Amino acid sequence: MDNFNPADNIQDLQYFGEFGGVNPSISDSSTYTFLSAKTMFDTFEGNMEGCYLYSRHSSPSNLYLDKALAAMEGTETANVSASGMGAITPTLLQLCGAGDHIVSSRTIYGGTYAFLKNFAPRMGIKTTFVDITKLDLVEAAITPDTKVLYCETVSNPLLEVADIAGLSKIAKKHNLTLVVDNTFSPLSVTPIKLGADIVIHSLTKYINGSSDTVGGVTCASQEFINSLKDVNSGASMLLGPTMDSMRSASVMKNMRTLHLRIKQHSYNAAYLAERFEKDGLKTVYPGLASHPSHKIYASMINPEYGFGGMMTLDVGSLAKANELMELMQAKNLGYLAVSLGFYKTLFSAPGTSTSSEIPLEEQAEMGLTDGLIRFSIGLDNDIERTYQMMKACMQELSIL
Ligand SMILES: *Cc1c(COP(=O)(O)O)cnc(C)c1O
């Protein structure tokens, strides 16, 4: 995969609509006719490549988006779903059953954390949460029952970086499946290249990029995706988190500009992070030399896409964080909202929002402080102007 460029791979795919349209036609059917009864039977048995059965299983529009995402991540295929959680939970339930064990990063998306901590035990699946940046601790947490090693490339909200190549060595040694949530770093990082087995995205964020829908995807081998979609035993097929065709067609169109957006998000975030750090604010951005994982991340990324659009600033206290966010929203610098990857800057205090599933004492232990603001930096045209306006807000509140 030496010359692998995820955006070129997406661009090299060619699809036409059924009347020669430059976009593929949107499939508008939940069910499909068969010319013969025998073909229908074979399709149910999973033996008819290219035949559609029922849209919870697959639909032409979803398969187009699957292909584009598989091309981006360098996997054989993919399976889109109605949300990121709709990709994560079936994937883990397909890999693990009662008695199995997962070793997971402790700094993961709040919903994934809540699923592993509160819900998966009801199915007899146990999870040990570890500091994913310490490979010796990761290995020490593995038991004879461990099946999966789970992490996010860049973690939410602390922007810790998982050494995917190092984790992959451990996974291979212990015969585990390495599952990586790459939501924060599409195009920038290609986890498969570094040895991951399965890559997941919440399409809701950068990949769709317009904050108008939720969506998700599991990118993996044909064998694993077939198992997820198996009519008798597939977690995606049976739990039913299917993406609608209309939505997959619109996500696909937004994906056409992903490379341009990621470059601009990265440029803008790096610009602000460098300046706020110089101004003396506690700034976390993987592109800063001060970031504990800067070197490893620099070695992992496809450099033209940069270090991503996420950054955090610690402004000292929750009260200050809230005041600053309200003022920035009033000045139209962005929105006080969760989520990420929008054209507009989004900010939130993770301790009281997206990571509130994590108990307070655990938040403190992992360095998730009260005054932390998570920023998804937008596509602002003139980022110097944005910097000056943000700085003025901070000066007004005596943060700077
Ligand atoms: C948002 C998010 C998810 C969940 O995705 P939904 O589309 O909201 O279900 C999972 N992982 C990460 C890293 C996320 O940011």
Side-chain angles (χ1 to χ4, degrees):
M1 294 178 89
D2 279 353
N3 293 322
F4 186 91
N5 186 310
D8 293 348
N9 288 0
I10 300 169
Q11 201 175 317
D12 287 345
L13 293 171
Q14 195 180 44
Y15 316 102
F16 296 104
E18 58 189 316
F19 303 108
V22 294
N23 287 305
S25 309
I26 300 174
S27 49
D28 194 28
S29 297
S30 57
T31 190
Y32 303 82
T33 59
F34 289 86
L35 286 176
S36 81
K38 166 91 171 60
T39 321
M40 180 183 271
F41 175 76
D42 288 343
T43 304
F44 261 93
E45 295 285 291
N47 296 331
M48 288 302 292
E49 181 79 17
C51 277
Y52 297 97
L53 175 68
Y54 183 64
S55 287
R56 172 153 43 77
H57 182 261
S58 47
S59 65
S61 293
N62 287 7
L63 288 191
Y64 287 134
L65 183 57
D66 290 343
K67 253 196 194 166
L69 290 158
M72 178 179 87
E73 288 299 359
T75 55
E76 284 175 11
T77 189
N79 183 47
V80 294
S81 52
S83 69
M85 289 308 293
I88 292 166
T89 57
T91 297
L92 293 175
L93 292 173
Q94 196 66 32
L95 293 168
C96 296
D100 290 340
H101 175 249
I102 296 173
V103 174
S104 169
S105 165
R106 62 183 183 178
T107 49
I108 50 172
Y109 177 70
T112 311
Y113 180 87
F115 172 73
L116 289 174
K117 180 156 185 167
N118 306 327
F119 200 95
R122 288 165 52 181
M123 272 92 183
I125 301 165
K126 291 211 177 81
T127 300
T128 303
F129 295 97
V130 294
D131 179 345
I132 202 74
T133 62
K134 306 224 160 68
L135 294 182
D136 50 334
L137 296 184
V138 172
E139 190 158 20
I142 295 169
T143 74
D145 296 328
T146 310
K147 292 287 187 307
V148 167
L149 191 49
Y150 187 89
C151 69
E152 295 175 2
T153 310
V154 180
S155 79
N156 182 19
L158 294 169
L159 312 180
E160 285 177 352
V161 175
D163 171 3
I164 297 173
L167 292 168
S168 163
K169 277 200 195 109
I170 296 174
K172 289 205 164 54
K173 181 170 155 198
H174 296 271
N175 205 16
L176 314 179
T177 303
L178 176 59
V179 181
V180 178
D181 179 337
N182 200 31
T183 298
F184 277 35
S185 45
L187 301 181
S188 290
V189 178
T190 307
I192 293 291
K193 232 168 62 171
L194 303 167
D197 298 300
I198 297 178
V199 181
I200 292 181
H201 283 276
S202 165
L203 303 177
T204 315
K205 317 295 170 48
Y206 285 108
I207 291 175
N208 185 54
S210 51
S211 291
D212 55 357
T213 187
V214 289
V217 69
T218 303
C219 301
S221 65
Q222 188 71 54
E223 187 187 0
F224 183 71
I225 298 298
N226 287 351
S227 78
L228 266 183
K229 293 165 72 164
D230 188 282
V231 288
N232 293 305
S233 59
S236 289
M237 185 63 183
L238 300 175
L239 297 171
T242 313
M243 178 178 265
D244 183 74
S245 291
M246 305 282 240
R247 276 308 185 184
S248 57
S250 77
V251 173
M252 171 94 164
K253 282 176 270 192
N254 284 358
M255 230 183 127
R256 298 293 176 216
T257 57
L258 180 63
H259 56 298
L260 300 173
R261 290 185 280 114
I262 291 291
K263 287 175 190 176
Q264 187 74 25
H265 284 300
S266 288
Y267 177 82
N268 284 354
Y271 190 98
L272 294 177
E274 281 163 21
R275 277 155 190 81
F276 286 124
E277 182 174 63
K278 270 205 197 98
D279 290 337
L281 275 185
K282 223 164 115 193
T283 310
V284 175
Y285 181 66
L288 293 174
S290 61
H291 190 284
S293 312
H294 175 68
K295 278 218 176 82
I296 181 102
Y297 201 46
S299 76
M300 286 165 59
I301 60 172
N302 301 311
E304 68 187 284
Y305 305 105
F307 289 86
M310 301 301 293
M311 116 187 151
T312 71
L313 295 176
D314 190 335
V315 297
S317 70
L318 180 60
K320 278 278 177 241
N322 288 345
E323 273 184 279
L324 178 62
M325 291 190 292
E326 285 168 12
L327 185 60
M328 286 190 299
Q329 179 160 259
K331 304 272 186 205
N332 201 15
L333 280 163
Y335 298 135
L336 173 45
V338 298
S339 201
L340 48 132
F342 199 33
Y343 81 96
K344 195 99 174 166
T345 293
L346 301 178
F347 33 80
S348 57
T352 54
S353 60
T354 50
S355 297
S356 57
E357 291 93 339
I358 303 171
L360 286 177
E361 60 274 19
E362 286 177 44
Q363 289 191 21
E365 200 185 309
M366 62 178 69
L368 213 168
T369 49
D370 260 3
L372 198 76
I373 303 178
R374 181 187 84 170
F375 289 84
S376 161
I377 302 299
L379 299 173
D380 306 25
N381 177 53
D382 182 352
I383 196 66
E384 171 63 21
R385 172 171 169 262
T386 302
Y387 167 63
Q388 293 300 341
M389 288 171 73
M390 283 175 74
K391 197 167 156 179
C393 292
M394 292 176 192
Q395 284 163 340
E396 187 176 328
L397 298 173
S398 314
I399 292 165
L400 275 185

